[in-house]
Amino acid sequence: MTADYVAKRFGMFLVIVWLAATVNFFLPRIGGQDPVREKLIQQAAIGGNVQAGLEDMVAEYDAKFGLNTPLWRQYVAYVADMARFDFNYSIANYPRRVLDMIGEALPWTVGLLLTTTLFSWVIGGLLGAFLGWPRSPKFLQFLMPPLLALNAIPFFLLGLVLIYVLAFRLRLFPLSGGYTAGSFPALTPAFIGNVLSHSVLPALSIVLVSIGGWALGMRAMIVTTQGEDYVTYADAKGLKGRTIFLRYAVRNALLPQTTALALVLGQLISGAVLVEVIFSYPGIGTVLYKAIRGSDFYLVQGIVFILIVAIGVATFALDLLYPLLDPRISYRRA
Amino acid sequence: MAGAVPVWTAQKRPRERGGRQEAAVATLGYVRRNPSLLVGSLFLLALLLFVVVGYLTVDPSEASPLSVRSLQPPSADLPFGSDKQGRNLYAVMVVGTPLTLRIGLFAGLLGVGLGASLAFVAGYYGGHVDNVIKAIVDVGLTIPGLLILIIIGMKAREGLSVNQMALVVGALAWLYPARTIRSQVITLKQRGYVQIARLSGMGGPEVIVRELLPNLLPYLGASLVGSVSAAVLASIGLEVLGLGPFEAPTLGMTLYWVNYNAAIVNGWWWWWVPPIVVIAVLFVGLFLVAVGLDEVANPRVRNRV
Amino acid sequence: MKPAVLEVRDLRVHYHTSRGAVRAVDGVGFDVGEEERFGLVGESGSGKSTIALALLRLIRPPGRIEGGRIALDGVDVMGLSEEEMRRARLAKVALVAQGAMNSLNPVLRVNEQIRDALRDHGVRLSARAFEERVGGLLESVGLRREVGGMFPHELSGGMKQRVCIAVAMSLRPKLIIADEPTSALDVVVQWQIMDTLRRVQEELGAAVILIGHDMGLMAQAVDRLGVMYAGKLVEVVAVRDLFRRPLHPYSQLLIGSLTSLDRKSEPRGIPGLPPSLLDPPTGCPFHPRCPYAMDRCRREAPALLEHAPGHLAACHLYPREEVA
């Protein structure tokens, strides 16, 4: 790995973040109207005493982003704010700051997604590897139709079914939320158990669906490696089946599978937003949903920005890990 | 291995000289070897049939609120029951399924059309054009489309209409097709007959239309099906988040109302089972058709998926 | 000839397709003696590479070995269990694959790949001893020891092929099958590789089957040649005699095209196309392209018969009575 490579990847990361911020800035301004300002004024008008601070916010907003300031100056001010992770106040929950609200929700989402993604990546990958290997037991092939079907269904659809069957009918798990309302968040075994039992269903709906996708992807890759010369030649060398499977087929199939992990991470976050919504799971997705319903622009912008930064970080991290997996990468780019 | 391969992969489909009957037999035989395409098409046909029969047996206007008594479980009069706002859920499914499909189809066509055009230009001409397009696509794909769509959706305060929805979703649907079709074009460009066409003085647009396009048709088909599926998923996502067309009874809006009214924990199962079944059938059907078309496009993986 | 290391009798390999069986190898028989260099030559599609895979029992579906006998060092190969066969590969019979192939795993270092091969054949050595052995192998094919620490993409085509030869010799097999080992390599590198192969063979005292289509290269590298056409052996003879007096019209045309054109080219200048193995012509498979085709050739397939001591040909032009 060379400094050049790292610098290039980091540059890519910055470009993604900058682009996200820019899109975030310009999209709501297309068409001349300023929905943020309108919402602010509307909120301030109905707010009364409680939201007295909103008046100041409107004034500050006008100074920074008002229609009489030139667009480029608004843009510079905006980018400067973003660079400092200053997302301003939540309009609907004034005087709470957007960053604080995100900070509260983020651990829930990261916890749920990181575990479920890695878990399904590993399990699905293993399953797919065996499905694609011609010397695996034949009965495994019966797993294909359910995997195909699961893979095609969106997360939240399965979530709805799981809520009904496992939570509403069988009462095995709580219906919604991240923990029982009224219990005090603390690092006690009881509370952790409570959190875990609340996360089983959202996790299950993500895991079941994504296992299908990972398994199919891995299976296709393993089937492809069967056609590679080095696998045929490994057979000619009289290597054991296990050696060929692990060190030749799986080891090589892992490369595109890892690239896919980076790409899918983006899709997964947006897909999981809906899972959180239907389970009222206290993560970013639910906050986003509430922000949309409350037209809380600052909050939505902050979340979108943070999520894209998170994806950028994940992509960057995988870019750095990739040369360790594929010796050809660092060589080519060096 | 290498000894025998050229002989038996060089066969053409037997359609060239045989009569119609022979072609039919060959097609039938092929369908047997490619069950994904058959089963997937049957799923989609079943949905179509449901809509057609539905339009003949129910008044579509009952898909609007306050047309029937609210919260009725299924009965002879209301086979799918009704929701809290007094929509006949049978009519909702009959009207909503084609609406959702329309969003998907429109956005998918837009996405593949735009994506394929860019892909042909980038893949065929290469150079700076290719670098720029590739960079845009790579960065664009990293950013989850749904988030961008949310920002756009919030701009429209009353929710998007069905057609706006299609347009918005389609505006982002070209990224993925652009990437995959581009790599196909690059592979195809190396083939002998394309090289010969270029050397014989055929211009770029002509090579693209006469040589590349026909050979990529099955692939474009698979790509279209994939895009339609992604667009439907994105539109349903926006709708469930409350950014959809409030006046239209699409599948996603139905799920929005299901979630909004907590239909599941209230035990109103008839409200959410039909949209879930229809969406599941739609996605599985589209996925199988895409897999089937992929097999047509890359015969080498035939019999393997 | 010295006692045979390999005896092949009536080997038949078919590829089963939806349109019927492709007879890639159709009743082929030959012997290879100890330390002999035997060549198989023919156009692409003539079945020579399929023979290489069949000898290692590596034909995969839709291909199948339909019948025949393969005896390697007196052992019936067809009768071995899967596990016995696996152990025999590399230890008894090693393959050097086509030079154009990506035979090396792109993500493993060269020494890891050689170590895998040794370990899976029960060679248990300390890390130091492994390193020593791998280094020795690399040196004996003319590579530096440091190559062991490199990845395949860091090697040139010739170096990769040397690594493959090092792997092939690692367990001192009785027979090395080299399937077009120099295809896709520069001419100079081709000769270097052939030279390395020859030195390794002499050092091990192994027999070699060299498969190729380059008559010129073949003539220099082997003692005896089998000419393949459409899945059949049409002539088997010592190289010197083949060039002096080729019997089969196909061999004659091959040699004719070689001397009239430059020596590196693939056989060409033979009118007509190779036959479809799915639906081979009746009688002699070469008759549609043969300048001497007779009525009998269309009806009856000729047998591979000995027409002079050590000179076999399958052609009706030479009725057995006359020559023998």
Side-chain angles (χ1 to χ4, degrees):
Chain A
M1 212 187 304
T2 59
D4 190 29
Y5 175 80
V6 177
K8 233 179 219 169
R9 297 286 105 188
F10 189 70
M12 185 75 178
F13 165 69
L14 288 182
V15 166
I16 288 171
V17 172
W18 167 75
L19 208 76
T22 305
V23 165
N24 233 349
F25 174 80
F26 282 105
L27 274 183
R29 281 172 176 76
I30 294 173
Q33 281 173 320
D34 190 339
V36 183
R37 195 191 137 78
E38 273 170 45
K39 178 70 189 171
L40 274 173
I41 291 168
Q42 180 195 339
Q43 197 81 358
I46 57 167
N49 288 340
V50 191
Q51 310 210 339
L54 274 172
E55 303 278 0
D56 302 335
M57 237 175 116
V58 175
E60 193 196 327
Y61 182 85
D62 267 340
K64 233 183 205 171
F65 303 111
L67 289 175
N68 42 5
T69 24
L71 195 64
W72 69 267
R73 189 162 285 176
Q74 293 181 37
Y75 179 64
V76 169
Y78 170 80
V79 170
D81 278 357
M82 287 293 142
R84 281 179 284 120
F85 283 95
D86 178 2
F87 304 131
N88 227 318
Y89 295 94
S90 159
I91 301 174
N93 302 286
Y94 189 81
R96 298 201 63 196
R97 292 200 73 94
V98 165
L99 191 62
D100 297 338
M101 293 183 72
I102 293 175
E104 250 168 57
L106 206 56
W108 291 94
T109 298
V110 169
L112 181 68
L113 286 186
L114 213 60
T115 11
T116 50
T117 309
L118 292 181
F119 181 78
S120 28
W121 190 76
V122 171
I123 300 293
L126 277 175
L127 205 61
F130 283 116
L131 278 168
W133 190 242
R135 293 170 220 180
S136 301
K138 283 277 163 281
F139 72 86
L140 273 176
Q141 297 302 324
F142 289 109
L143 286 173
M144 280 302 286
L147 282 176
L148 282 168
L150 278 177
N151 170 56
I153 292 175
F155 297 129
F156 64 94
L157 216 61
L158 187 66
L160 289 176
V161 177
L162 289 179
I163 292 180
Y164 181 72
V165 176
L166 295 181
F168 181 68
R169 280 274 153 205
L170 302 176
R171 305 199 175 275
L172 290 175
F173 298 100
L175 284 164
S176 68
Y179 51 91
T180 309
S183 66
F184 185 73
L187 274 177
T188 60
F191 183 74
I192 291 173
N194 191 298
V195 167
L196 285 181
S197 80
H198 275 82
S199 62
V200 167
L201 288 189
L204 203 60
S205 39
I206 296 174
V207 165
L208 281 181
V209 169
S210 31
I211 274 186
W214 292 124
L216 293 180
M218 187 67 172
R219 176 178 174 276
M221 283 320 302
I222 293 280
V223 168
T224 308
T225 59
Q226 308 289 294
E228 297 285 350
D229 298 332
Y230 53 81
V231 171
T232 312
Y233 183 61
D235 248 331
K237 281 195 288 190
L239 295 188
K240 288 178 183 164
R242 224 179 61 123
T243 314
I244 302 177
F245 179 60
L246 290 177
R247 283 170 72 81
Y248 287 71
V250 172
R251 182 70 173 69
N252 278 285
L254 219 52
L255 303 177
Q257 197 76 352
T258 311
T259 319
L261 182 64
L263 274 177
V264 165
L265 220 58
Q267 314 295 323
L268 190 85
I269 288 176
S270 38
V273 164
L274 296 175
V275 173
E276 289 189 4
V277 169
I278 62 159
F279 283 99
S280 305
Y281 188 81
I284 290 284
T286 304
V287 176
L288 181 64
Y289 174 65
K290 286 181 181 153
I292 290 171
R293 289 183 58 174
S295 299
D296 194 339
F297 273 92
Y298 280 142
L299 192 47
V300 172
Q301 286 194 333
I303 290 174
V304 169
F305 185 75
I306 284 285
L307 286 185
I308 292 174
V309 169
I311 292 161
V313 169
T315 318
F316 180 55
L318 274 161
D319 276 339
L320 293 191
L321 283 175
Y322 206 75
L324 302 181
L325 276 177
D326 189 347
R328 286 164 295 184
I329 292 294
S330 51
Y331 176 76
R332 267 195 221 126
R333 312 236 166 129
Chain B
M1 189 175 68
V5 165
V7 184
W8 53 269
T9 49
Q11 300 153 25
K12 278 266 165 199
R13 268 181 244 156
R15 206 173 289 164
E16 279 153 13
R17 50 190 162 153
R20 189 168 292 174
Q21 201 177 355
E22 197 179 320
V25 171
T27 312
L28 223 85
Y30 179 65
V31 163
R32 263 223 329 257
R33 275 180 285 126
N34 188 351
S36 317
L37 194 58
L38 177 72
V39 176
S41 311
L42 284 180
F43 272 41
L44 297 183
L45 273 179
L47 274 189
L48 212 65
L49 197 71
F50 167 74
V51 171
V52 170
V53 170
Y55 264 100
L56 295 174
T57 52
V58 72
D59 177 6
S61 68
E62 289 191 3
S64 321
L66 306 175
S67 0
V68 291
R69 272 190 68 192
S70 66
L71 285 179
Q72 295 302 302
S75 63
D77 276 349
L78 297 169
F80 290 8
S82 64
D83 73 2
K84 204 174 177 181
Q85 285 104 334
R87 297 183 185 90
N88 177 350
L89 283 168
Y90 180 43
V92 166
M93 286 301 104
V94 167
V95 175
T97 305
L99 277 183
T100 295
L101 272 177
R102 200 171 91 195
I103 297 175
L105 214 58
F106 182 84
L109 280 170
L110 195 68
V112 171
L114 209 61
S117 312
L118 286 173
F120 278 119
V121 170
Y124 183 79
Y125 291 102
H128 289 305
V129 190
D130 184 35
N131 285 338
V132 169
I133 293 177
K134 188 175 177 296
I136 294 174
V137 168
D138 279 351
V139 173
L141 274 177
T142 323
I143 299 170
L146 190 68
L147 297 181
I148 304 299
L149 295 179
I150 286 171
I151 300 274
I152 301 177
M154 282 193 68
K155 175 85 175 130
R157 261 162 304 163
E158 315 298 295
L160 297 158
S161 75
V162 169
N163 287 334
Q164 285 170 331
M165 185 84 147
L167 203 66
V168 166
V169 173
L172 288 182
W174 55 274
L175 289 164
Y176 190 71
R179 172 189 239 164
T180 53
I181 295 170
R182 175 183 164 273
S183 51
Q184 291 288 321
V185 170
I186 288 176
T187 326
L188 211 58
K189 208 173 82 176
Q190 316 297 333
R191 298 272 169 80
Y193 62 91
V194 179
Q195 301 277 26
I196 288 169
R198 294 172 72 186
L199 290 174
S200 68
M202 235 190 230
E206 205 182 348
V207 174
I208 289 176
V209 173
R210 299 249 312 258
E211 306 289 340
L212 296 178
L213 200 58
N215 281 290
L216 280 176
L217 273 184
Y219 192 83
L220 289 176
S223 187
L224 175 66
V225 176
S227 299
V228 168
S229 174
V232 170
L233 182 62
S235 77
I236 291 179
L238 283 179
E239 287 166 345
V240 171
L241 286 174
L243 292 170
F246 280 89
E247 79 293 348
T250 61
L251 298 174
M253 284 318 291
T254 310
L255 285 182
Y256 172 77
W257 295 120
V258 163
N259 193 46
Y260 187 86
N261 292 298
I264 292 182
V265 292
N266 281 310
W268 302 322
W269 55 269
W270 60 87
W271 195 349
W272 55 270
V273 168
I276 283 191
V277 171
V278 169
I279 292 174
V281 168
L282 179 61
F283 277 122
V284 173
L286 285 173
F287 177 72
L288 289 177
V289 169
V291 169
L293 284 176
D294 242 2
E295 283 174 32
V296 177
N298 308 303
R300 242 185 277 170
V301 290
R302 220 174 261 170
N303 297 335
R304 281 176 172 176
V305 172
Chain C
M1 193 166 66
K2 293 180 181 177
V5 171
L6 177 74
E7 287 175 40
V8 179
R9 294 288 173 273
D10 194 27
L11 181 66
R12 277 170 291 123
V13 182
H14 294 182
Y15 286 90
H16 296 274
T17 73
S18 56
R19 303 188 61 206
V22 173
R23 294 173 199 169
V25 177
D26 195 10
V28 163
F30 59 90
D31 289 350
V32 180
E34 263 178 31
E35 296 184 46
E36 189 188 12
R37 286 185 279 259
F38 182 71
L40 278 175
V41 70
E43 291 164 303
S44 61
S46 60
K48 47 197 196 316
S49 292
T50 305
I51 291 183
L53 290 179
L55 294 179
L56 288 151
R57 257 179 56 189
L58 279 175
I59 302 287
R60 298 270 173 256
R64 208 162 81 92
I65 300 180
E66 298 294 326
R69 216 175 75 81
I70 301 170
L72 179 65
D73 208 11
V75 178
D76 173 20
V77 168
M78 302 303 291
L80 294 177
S81 73
E82 262 312 310
E83 176 61 16
E84 287 166 336
M85 189 62 226
R86 180 187 74 71
R87 274 187 242 148
R89 290 179 197 133
L90 199 65
K92 290 265 159 57
V93 48
L95 176 76
V96 178
Q98 292 191 9
M101 291 178 115
N102 305 309
S103 305
L104 297 174
N105 186 345
V107 296
L108 294 184
R109 290 176 200 278
V110 166
N111 53 21
E112 288 179 276
Q113 306 200 34
I114 301 180
R115 223 176 288 158
D116 278 351
L118 294 174
R119 205 172 278 153
D120 276 7
H121 285 88
V123 179
R124 295 273 170 271
L125 290 172
S126 67
R128 277 285 297 271
F130 255 127
E131 200 181 311
E132 195 50 42
R133 178 128 176 215
V134 170
L137 282 170
L138 290 173
E139 274 174 354
S140 62
V141 293
L143 290 172
R144 284 172 298 120
R145 273 166 183 264
E146 294 81 72
V147 169
M150 295 166 104
F151 287 102
H153 68 261
E154 297 171 290
L155 309 178
S156 69
M159 289 164 89
K160 280 189 227 177
Q161 205 59 341
R162 281 172 199 269
V163 169
C164 289
I165 295 173
V167 172
M169 70 181 290
S170 60
L171 293 168
R172 310 188 73 87
K174 283 273 185 181
L175 174 67
I176 296 176
I177 303 172
D179 183 3
E180 309 221 22
T182 61
S183 60
L185 296 180
D186 293 340
V187 178
V188 179
V189 182
Q190 283 192 2
W191 289 103
Q192 288 171 352
I193 293 293
M194 294 310 287
D195 188 52
T196 306
L197 201 57
R198 177 182 278 266
R199 274 193 292 111
V200 163
Q201 182 221 359
E202 276 164 4
E203 189 195 322
L204 297 181
V208 163
I209 296 181
L210 182 67
I211 294 171
H213 57 246
D214 185 338
M215 267 289 200
L217 204 63
M218 282 291 193
Q220 311 267 339
V222 302
D223 311 321
R224 224 154 43 95
L225 254 180
V227 179
M228 295 276 307
Y229 187 79
K232 291 180 196 290
L233 270 175
V234 294
E235 188 156 359
V236 181
V237 64
V239 171
R240 204 176 305 115
D241 294 337
L242 181 71
F243 279 86
R244 201 176 294 153
R245 194 191 164 213
L247 289 180
H248 198 281
Y250 179 62
S251 315
Q252 293 169 3
L253 286 165
L254 273 185
I255 291 166
S257 68
L258 179 72
T259 43
S260 65
L261 295 164
D262 72 310
R263 310 177 55 162
K264 295 290 143 331
S265 64
E266 192 158 349
R268 53 184 148 155
I270 302 175
L273 291 169
S276 157
L277 297 178
L278 197 57
D279 183 19
T282 54
C284 172
F286 190 59
H287 84 251
R289 298 166 78 184
C290 182
Y292 313 110
M294 309 172 289
D295 228 21
R296 189 180 172 198
C297 303
R298 278 178 267 277
R299 278 182 283 110
E300 194 185 318
L304 187 68
L305 299 172
E306 189 162 22
H307 295 291
H311 196 159
L312 287 73
C315 183
H316 291 310
L317 283 176
Y318 311 99
R320 192 174 167 71
E321 309 82 60
E322 282 176 33
V323 181

